[in-house]
Amino acid sequence: MAADDQPAPTGPGAEQEWLAAYDPRAYAPIAVTVDVVALTLRHGSLHVLLVERGAPPYQGCRALPGGFLRAGEESLDEAAARELAEETGLLSASGAGATLCRLHLEQLGTYGAPERDPRMHVVSVAYLAFAPDLPDPQAGTDAAAAAWHPVSDLDLRPCGRSRAAGAPADTHGGGVDGRTGPCPLTLAFDHARILADGLDRVRAKLEYSPLATAFLPHDFTIPDLRAVYEAVWDEKLHPGNFHRKVLSVPGFVESTGATTERGGARGGPRARTYHAGDARLLHPALLRPTRDDPADGTAAP
Amino acid sequence: MAADDQPAPTGPGAEQEWLAAYDPRAYAPIAVTVDVVALTLRHGSLHVLLVERGAPPYQGCRALPGGFLRAGEESLDEAAARELAEETGLLSASGAGATLCRLHLEQLGTYGAPERDPRMHVVSVAYLAFAPDLPDPQAGTDAAAAAWHPVSDLDLRPCGRSRAAGAPADTHGGGVDGRTGPCPLTLAFDHARILADGLDRVRAKLEYSPLATAFLPHDFTIPDLRAVYEAVWDEKLHPGNFHRKVLSVPGFVESTGATTERGGARGGPRARTYHAGDARLLHPALLRPTRDDPADGTAAP
DNA sequence: CTACGTTGTGCTCAGCCCGAGAAGAACAGC
DNA sequence: GCTGTTCTTCTCGGGCTGAGCACAACGTAG
């Protein structure tokens, strides 16, 4: 239930005393934040938006953009959209719909291990955002340290776990690890795991949802769409079969009747343009090429 | 990120003052709870575990079992397992593994709208639990009001939203609505939506994960497994095709070499017994019979 | 004990989808 | 103009799917 009531059936008016009486620790030391895994496609490869931390712990490391939930003011979805706008400079002050309308935002999961932040118990609700190729977020207010990073440059191994518990940031050597810049590829807190979960989710969702169109502008071509699938899945797809399957799914794409102005960069005919249809689920699904890899864990719910 | 740091770069020691300086409202009035959607199969139909609320708001209504996250002491997963044990009497005091080992627990989603609890801003992390047919939870400590309810008896329409905002419980008529008992089929807070999301998740997960075995005892038969799918999907399946497909998925089930002692209740031969295999994902998947229903929303991530 | 209905298990068959390959046409760069 | 690239469509063989059926094993009614 949203708030328990068995042990202390006090009246509904005195929330704070009643809460504190139930469990004093449930009152003070929990913070709720919202973190965003924002993904986009740049130059044909998947990029994620990261900020550089300016204070310990994990000073100098990259982290997912995020911040506190404003209690009583906003829902989690609204907080995620606000954080994404604030920390990136995208969608500056115009109404939340102009720039953000082509942005897909969905909840990814919640991470609440007590030791994930060495300062206090922080419960983070992670969100996943897909966007078309967006400008660099240097123009924002507190977005000076935000930038797009290729996900292939990041270290997503389960190394982000043991560090948050013990010594904060200098177990790694203080920036001397043979790469450029301080902690260039390591993510703060458990953000490596959050990002890995987000990537698993995206890869799975492309199979049965039309979400790939969220990475593209309003009008796109079938080869554009195929490039999204190839970048996210990191696999080459058969152009002919992909074309056939996309057009055979009802409601996935709708033809605009037009074609591109020019052919491809290295030749080829002009492609027909499409825009996203009204389907929410793909029937039949676009399944990944069968890989005999036995298993990753509980991926993609 | 887990805790933001751009605006107030104070030292890492004074967390509380620094937090309060950033946004005083982010300090006090947010509570974090964990709610559990516990599902099981009883007499061939899907049941969910509910408790009866003994205090306002929504006094007398049913609600999902849950409670506060103990700050600094436990992770979200541990809190969900603890709440399920406490409020049901299952897994009394023996180590968390004896009774719970055959229980599947996974995170469902987080619900944090400011008005979902009229008392204060409560962020609830919902979990989904599958269990074999368990005894009635009357023996527990504060589990007196907990009981299994058929999900078909519950009202899952989007009516649970508007009530939490305005008058708490009497907009509905104060128990006079032609049903037996006070608010027999209505769920408190936004728990109807949480349960609906959980049901969507289960229905989708049976397609590509071996999770159906979590509803069954260690040894089971293929018709037992088929009964799980038919109950969750609420559809009759072709026995021969189901048999063929289950055995064709590597790692889904493993034969024990034995058969049942007796035939079916209304005749029929004895069935071979199996136990769950080591597969985490089903390849190929057991897809639902194609329903031409155009859409539900963003279901089953 | 016999007859009958029920059910587990396996088989066949037609239809559809999938992967692979290739062909034709349109286009950029040289 | 020539060449290489790419979009789009087509064909073909294999595998999976849904539907139906066959047979045997079993409980129950009589």
Side-chain angles (χ1 to χ4, degrees):
Chain A
M1 58 189 67
D4 195 26
D5 48 333
Q6 250 80 344
T10 323
E15 302 91 38
Q16 300 192 353
E17 297 81 15
W18 167 77
L19 258 179
Y22 174 81
D23 185 1
R25 276 188 289 245
Y27 178 67
I30 289 194
V32 178
T33 67
V34 174
D35 297 340
V36 180
V37 179
L39 300 175
T40 193
L41 233 66
R42 285 168 84 90
H43 316 110
S45 74
L46 202 59
H47 283 58
V48 61
L49 187 69
L50 298 177
V51 300
E52 185 171 346
R53 288 187 56 81
Y58 298 97
Q59 184 170 14
C61 284
R62 301 304 196 288
L64 299 173
F68 288 102
L69 173 70
R70 293 181 182 169
E73 294 183 13
E74 57 188 0
S75 68
L76 297 169
D77 295 41
E78 291 162 356
R82 176 183 54 80
E83 286 297 335
L84 190 57
E86 279 181 7
E87 298 221 40
T88 63
L90 318 170
L91 173 78
S92 54
S94 57
T99 318
L100 266 182
C101 71
R102 289 213 49 76
L103 185 135
H104 175 87
L105 199 63
E106 71 174 51
Q107 199 181 102
L108 174 60
T110 303
Y111 300 80
E115 69 278 6
R116 58 185 296 276
D117 190 315
R119 292 167 294 185
M120 66 178 297
H121 197 161
V122 176
V123 172
S124 281
V125 184
Y127 273 76
L128 197 54
F130 312 141
D133 198 346
L134 294 172
D136 279 311
Q138 314 293 5
T141 48
D142 38 58
W148 295 102
H149 293 255
V151 296
S152 53
D153 287 1
L154 301 173
D155 180 21
L156 300 184
R157 295 302 148 213
C159 61
R161 270 264 183 73
S162 53
R163 297 181 55 195
D170 11 33
T171 26
H172 201 250
V176 187
D177 60 339
R179 305 280 193 162
T180 65
C183 295
L185 305 178
T186 314
L187 265 58
F189 306 108
D190 55 354
H191 288 190
R193 159 167 268 273
I194 297 177
L195 176 56
D197 290 347
L199 293 175
D200 281 343
R201 173 81 66 93
V202 181
R203 287 191 259 260
K205 268 220 149 182
L206 286 203
E207 289 193 329
Y208 56 89
S209 88
L211 233 55
T213 60
F215 286 103
L216 296 171
H218 182 270
D219 287 349
F220 53 87
T221 69
I222 304 281
D224 289 340
L225 193 64
R226 178 161 48 87
V228 175
Y229 277 86
E230 290 180 339
V232 173
W233 286 349
D234 196 24
E235 280 178 294
K236 284 292 173 194
L237 300 179
H238 187 292
N241 292 338
F242 183 83
H243 201 97
R244 186 214 317 158
K245 289 174 76 168
V246 167
L247 293 185
S248 77
V249 178
F252 191 7
V253 297
E254 291 178 11
S255 175
T256 64
T259 67
T260 54
E261 297 291 328
R262 290 177 46 85
R266 295 200 293 276
R270 293 186 282 194
R272 282 196 264 268
T273 59
Y274 299 82
H275 59 260
D278 53 357
R280 307 255 138 189
L281 251 42
L282 263 36
H283 279 296
L286 275 83
L287 298 178
R288 267 174 285 197
T290 51
R291 35 169 197 174
D292 310 307
D293 304 318
D296 39 353
T298 62
Chain B
M1 58 189 66
D4 195 26
D5 48 335
Q6 249 81 346
T10 322
E15 300 92 38
Q16 299 191 353
E17 297 82 13
W18 167 76
L19 257 180
Y22 174 80
D23 185 1
R25 277 189 288 247
Y27 178 68
I30 289 194
V32 177
T33 68
V34 174
D35 298 340
V36 181
V37 179
L39 300 174
T40 192
L41 233 66
R42 287 167 83 92
H43 317 111
S45 74
L46 202 59
H47 283 59
V48 62
L49 188 69
L50 298 177
V51 299
E52 186 172 346
R53 290 187 54 82
Y58 297 97
Q59 183 170 15
C61 283
R62 302 303 196 289
L64 299 173
F68 289 102
L69 174 68
R70 294 181 181 168
E73 295 182 11
E74 57 187 2
S75 68
L76 296 169
D77 295 42
E78 291 162 355
R82 175 182 57 76
E83 286 297 335
L84 191 57
E86 279 181 7
E87 297 220 43
T88 64
L90 319 169
L91 173 79
S92 54
S94 57
T99 317
L100 266 182
C101 69
R102 286 213 51 75
L103 186 134
H104 175 88
L105 199 62
E106 71 173 53
Q107 197 179 106
L108 172 61
T110 303
Y111 300 80
E115 69 278 5
R116 58 185 298 274
D117 191 315
R119 293 167 294 187
M120 65 179 295
H121 199 161
V122 176
V123 171
S124 281
V125 184
Y127 273 77
L128 197 54
F130 311 142
D133 197 347
L134 293 172
D136 279 312
Q138 313 294 4
T141 49
D142 38 58
W148 295 102
H149 293 255
V151 296
S152 54
D153 287 2
L154 301 173
D155 180 22
L156 301 184
R157 295 303 147 215
C159 61
R161 269 271 183 68
S162 53
R163 297 181 57 195
D170 14 30
T171 23
H172 202 248
V176 186
D177 61 340
R179 307 279 194 162
T180 65
C183 297
L185 305 178
T186 314
L187 266 58
F189 305 108
D190 54 355
H191 288 189
R193 160 167 267 275
I194 297 177
L195 177 56
D197 290 347
L199 293 176
D200 281 343
R201 173 82 66 93
V202 182
R203 287 192 257 263
K205 268 220 150 183
L206 286 203
E207 289 192 330
Y208 57 89
S209 88
L211 234 55
T213 60
F215 286 104
L216 297 172
H218 183 270
D219 288 348
F220 55 86
T221 69
I222 304 284
D224 289 340
L225 194 63
R226 177 162 48 89
V228 175
Y229 278 86
E230 290 180 339
V232 174
W233 287 348
D234 196 24
E235 282 179 291
K236 285 293 172 191
L237 301 179
H238 188 290
N241 291 340
F242 183 83
H243 202 97
R244 186 219 310 160
K245 288 175 78 167
V246 167
L247 293 185
S248 78
V249 178
F252 191 6
V253 296
E254 291 179 10
S255 174
T256 64
T259 67
T260 54
E261 297 290 327
R262 291 178 45 86
R266 295 200 296 274
R270 293 185 284 192
R272 283 197 262 268
T273 60
Y274 299 83
H275 59 261
D278 54 358
R280 307 256 139 189
L281 252 42
L282 263 35
H283 279 299
L286 274 82
L287 297 178
R288 266 176 284 197
T290 50
R291 35 169 197 173
D292 310 305
D293 304 318
D296 38 355
T298 62

